[in-house]
Amino acid sequence: MSANLDKWDVEDEEFWNSTGKKIATRNLWISIPKLLCGFAVWLYWSIITVQMINLGYPFSQSQLFTLSAIAGLTGATLRIPSSFLIRIAGGRNTIFFTTALLIIPALGTGIALQNKTTPIEIYYLLALLSGIGGGNFASSMSNISFFFPKRVQGTSLGLNAGLGNFGVTTMQILIPLVMTFGLFGGESQTLINTSGTLIGKIPAGTETYIQNGGYVWLILLIPLVIVGYFGMHNIRTEAVSPDVNSTTHAFIKITGLLMIAFVTASIGLYLLLPPPVGLGMLSKWIVLPLIIAATVFGMKYLTRGELRANLERQYRIFNNKHTWVMTIIYTMTFGSFIGYSAAFALSIKVIFGFSHIMIDGIMTHTTANANGPSALMFAWMGPFIGALIRPIGGKIADKLGGALVTQWVSIVMIASALGCAYFMQAAYSSPTPENYFVPFLLLFIILFAATGVGNGSTFRSIAMIFDKEQAGPALGWTSAVAAYGAFIIPQVFGEQIKATTPEYALYGFAVFYLFCLVLNWWFYLSKNASIKNP
């Protein structure tokens, strides 16, 4: 069968049953592991940085939080052009090429980690490049939305996103395990702090192969790139990708649009991050809107001809008020999921891995806690539950309505965030923080579960609110803005931990969740709702 599909009408039941379902299912099951690898490479800094502390790498905690933040911001910014790539370059072309690009940061990370003297600037560059994995979510979701009829969008998008989100959990389990033996050769390094895996703690003095945290993804990426090239399809209908002809030209268009996002993200990071990395002259609350605006307008005004006309047509989503409403609500669900995933392991290490002791009347947070939990043993649990339950959230939303499910999710997120804040505050002022770990962990798992259900319900709502042509770009755009959670949440946690008030981060997030609850009720559940329970 040709890689290009010139006829595609999945709302026609006869076509769907005879032809469409088989092709759509094939593209979905190739898409899922590619997206899984994208999430893994994007967020593997959350685990690698913990092991860098355990091995005594010469970097501060704030520098290590910055690695996750750089990857988070870049990945979110790359989602902006990725939201519009399917119409411009075709689904198969886009997913193949952007998955192949992930080989660069994975290989580079493995090489850099083999030497403790690698400068922090190299890791900043690699974190920037690993943002490609974050960008891939927008194009993947946009692509899959075109393959399935509206009546099963909650389930199909939930499967793609939910199982793709398992990249976070897979990474959090797999990386600590493959670091325990010389799978790819190279010199081992010796732990100076206790580490751990899913199986249990690993004592200080044990040899470890931290470079495997990068190299292991090559085993998956290389075959997936080949399968994607030969197994996926471009839908060349008027509503999807009407102008796709040359594969080479498609790759050039993708590269050009991604480069615009790389430039705007890099400039934003330079303005945002403190010296010596950047200027530190503007607040993140100013820089992030500037990055988004610069990327959107840069794509429009730095392109020409057919490409510019294509973008202008897709930009019609910005004239729809529901684009902005659903962007805010999806930021609550997915932004929280991805941000907590990026910050969870390092937060456990910093809050529970050290005893918080008064010395000469000053509270200190630098004494290692021998009884503290291993972050690498527990950090995978929250993202695992959140990803596992996302398809279920989509399925429930298909039956009950997306907005109703989102409303209940908002209530659970507010309550669990406030509970987590309480135990976080107690732990960070205690010489025995491990006493508060179990309730903290359980409440965070509930919070992760709520984000997973909400991810499924909000995407179902988007699929119902927007027409066939706008649904894909709208899905991509909302996921792009929400992905800035992967930058904001690690940054806010890092700032509040430095200020010795980590609970303030969760208080702030709870207030945002309350705002989203009101917004969702007003637009989709109230008596005057413009669209009832989509």
Side-chain angles (χ1 to χ4, degrees):
M1 180 183 287
S2 169
N4 297 318
L5 303 172
D6 295 314
K7 181 188 176 185
W8 193 253
D9 184 10
V10 291
E11 301 302 338
D12 178 341
E13 200 158 335
E14 184 179 341
F15 174 83
W16 172 249
N17 290 327
S18 64
T19 306
K21 186 175 183 179
K22 181 180 178 181
I23 295 172
T25 303
R26 175 178 172 179
N27 279 267
L28 174 63
W29 288 106
I30 295 175
S31 173
I32 286 169
K34 285 171 169 282
L35 186 54
L36 183 149
C37 287
F39 269 101
V41 173
W42 183 28
L43 295 178
Y44 58 26
W45 298 105
S46 66
I47 295 299
I48 290 173
T49 51
V50 171
Q51 199 73 322
M52 291 168 84
I53 292 175
N54 293 335
L55 287 166
Y57 276 66
F59 308 127
S60 68
Q61 290 180 359
S62 63
Q63 284 177 315
L64 296 178
F65 267 111
T66 297
L67 288 177
S68 290
I70 288 173
L73 185 143
T74 309
T77 306
L78 289 172
R79 284 190 181 192
I80 298 174
S82 296
S83 303
F84 306 103
L85 289 180
I86 302 304
R87 184 173 181 86
I88 291 166
R92 170 254 199 183
N93 297 340
T94 300
I95 307 305
F96 160 78
F97 187 65
T98 54
T99 303
L101 290 176
L102 291 173
I103 293 172
I104 300 171
L107 179 62
T109 299
I111 294 170
L113 287 169
Q114 288 189 233
N115 191 338
K116 275 189 185 178
T117 63
T118 300
I120 190 66
E121 290 78 13
I122 297 296
Y123 291 109
Y124 289 155
L125 177 61
L126 289 167
L128 191 81
L129 291 173
S130 69
I132 294 168
N136 289 1
F137 181 83
S139 54
S140 178
M141 294 301 285
S142 178
N143 183 49
I144 291 303
S145 74
F146 293 119
F147 277 96
F148 288 86
K150 279 188 179 250
R151 65 182 181 276
V152 294
Q153 292 266 320
T155 303
S156 59
L157 292 171
L159 282 169
N160 191 53
L163 297 181
N165 287 170
F166 266 116
V168 180
T169 302
T170 303
M171 170 272 295
Q172 290 174 328
I173 294 174
L174 183 61
I175 286 180
L177 287 173
V178 298
M179 286 180 180
T180 60
F181 59 99
L183 178 63
F184 300 96
E187 295 293 320
S188 63
Q189 298 176 44
T190 305
L191 291 169
I192 64 170
N193 293 322
T194 300
S195 183
T197 67
L198 174 69
I199 301 167
K201 284 189 175 183
I202 299 175
T206 305
E207 296 300 303
T208 193
Y209 297 82
I210 190 173
Q211 64 267 27
N212 291 354
Y215 289 144
V216 70
W217 303 106
L218 301 178
I219 297 174
L220 298 173
L221 285 169
I222 292 171
L224 281 172
V225 166
I226 296 168
V227 170
Y229 186 82
F230 292 104
M232 297 189 79
H233 298 87
N234 302 309
I235 301 174
R236 290 201 308 186
T237 63
E238 181 58 32
V240 186
S241 310
D243 303 316
V244 174
N245 291 305
S246 165
T247 302
T248 303
H249 287 166
F251 294 164
I252 292 170
K253 292 175 184 176
I254 294 167
T255 302
L257 291 173
L258 292 181
M259 284 304 299
I260 291 171
F262 268 122
V263 170
T264 57
S266 299
I267 293 172
L269 285 163
Y270 186 64
L271 293 172
L272 183 65
L273 295 175
V277 184
L279 298 177
M281 62 185 291
L282 292 176
S283 160
K284 59 181 167 292
W285 308 113
I286 296 173
V287 171
L288 294 185
L290 289 176
I291 292 172
I292 295 170
T295 307
V296 169
F297 285 108
M299 287 165 55
K300 181 175 180 178
Y301 293 111
L302 295 176
T303 54
R304 294 290 180 270
E306 172 198 303
L307 180 55
R308 182 169 178 176
N310 196 317
L311 281 169
E312 286 178 343
R313 177 166 176 163
Q314 295 186 76
Y315 276 15
R316 292 173 189 168
I317 63 170
F318 299 131
N319 298 324
N320 189 331
K321 67 181 178 183
H322 296 290
T323 298
W324 305 103
V325 174
M326 291 308 303
T327 296
I328 295 169
I329 293 172
Y330 192 59
T331 299
M332 173 185 68
T333 58
F334 181 77
S336 297
F337 171 82
I338 207 66
Y340 292 141
S341 296
F344 196 38
L346 202 51
S347 296
I348 291 173
K349 179 69 179 179
V350 171
I351 293 169
F352 297 95
F354 295 88
S355 295
H356 311 290
I357 303 170
M358 279 286 189
I359 298 178
D360 297 329
I362 298 172
M363 178 64 76
T364 64
H365 308 279
T366 56
T367 304
N369 179 14
N371 298 317
S374 167
L376 302 185
M377 280 180 65
F378 296 100
W380 63 274
M381 292 181 179
F384 173 79
I385 296 296
L388 180 69
I389 207 168
R390 180 168 184 159
I392 299 171
K395 214 170 186 70
I396 294 170
D398 280 339
K399 294 183 181 300
L400 302 181
L404 182 62
V405 175
T406 302
Q407 196 74 355
W408 283 104
V409 161
S410 305
I411 295 168
V412 173
M413 289 181 68
I414 292 167
S416 52
L418 292 174
C420 286
Y422 172 82
F423 289 107
M424 187 181 282
Q425 180 184 23
Y428 208 61
S429 58
S430 171
T432 55
E434 67 274 11
N435 293 341
Y436 303 97
F437 180 66
V438 171
F440 167 84
L441 179 66
L442 292 175
L443 282 166
F444 236 116
I445 288 174
I446 292 171
L447 183 53
F448 268 108
T451 67
V453 174
N455 287 337
S457 63
T458 49
F459 259 22
R460 193 269 183 181
S461 294
I462 293 169
M464 298 302 293
I465 290 168
F466 295 91
D467 65 29
K468 191 177 197 178
E469 183 174 330
Q470 290 195 346
L475 285 165
W477 168 259
T478 54
S479 77
V481 177
Y484 282 101
F487 169 78
I488 291 171
I489 289 180
Q491 277 286 97
V492 171
F493 268 123
E495 291 165 0
Q496 294 305 319
I497 285 171
K498 188 175 181 180
T500 71
T501 53
E503 70 278 5
Y504 284 12
L506 283 162
Y507 290 150
F509 299 145
V511 171
F512 174 64
Y513 301 155
L514 178 61
F515 172 72
C516 292
L517 181 147
V518 174
L519 196 68
N520 182 66
W521 173 81
W522 176 259
F523 279 95
Y524 305 120
L525 291 174
S526 70
K527 188 168 66 173
N528 298 318
S530 51
I531 301 175
K532 198 73 173 177
N533 194 22

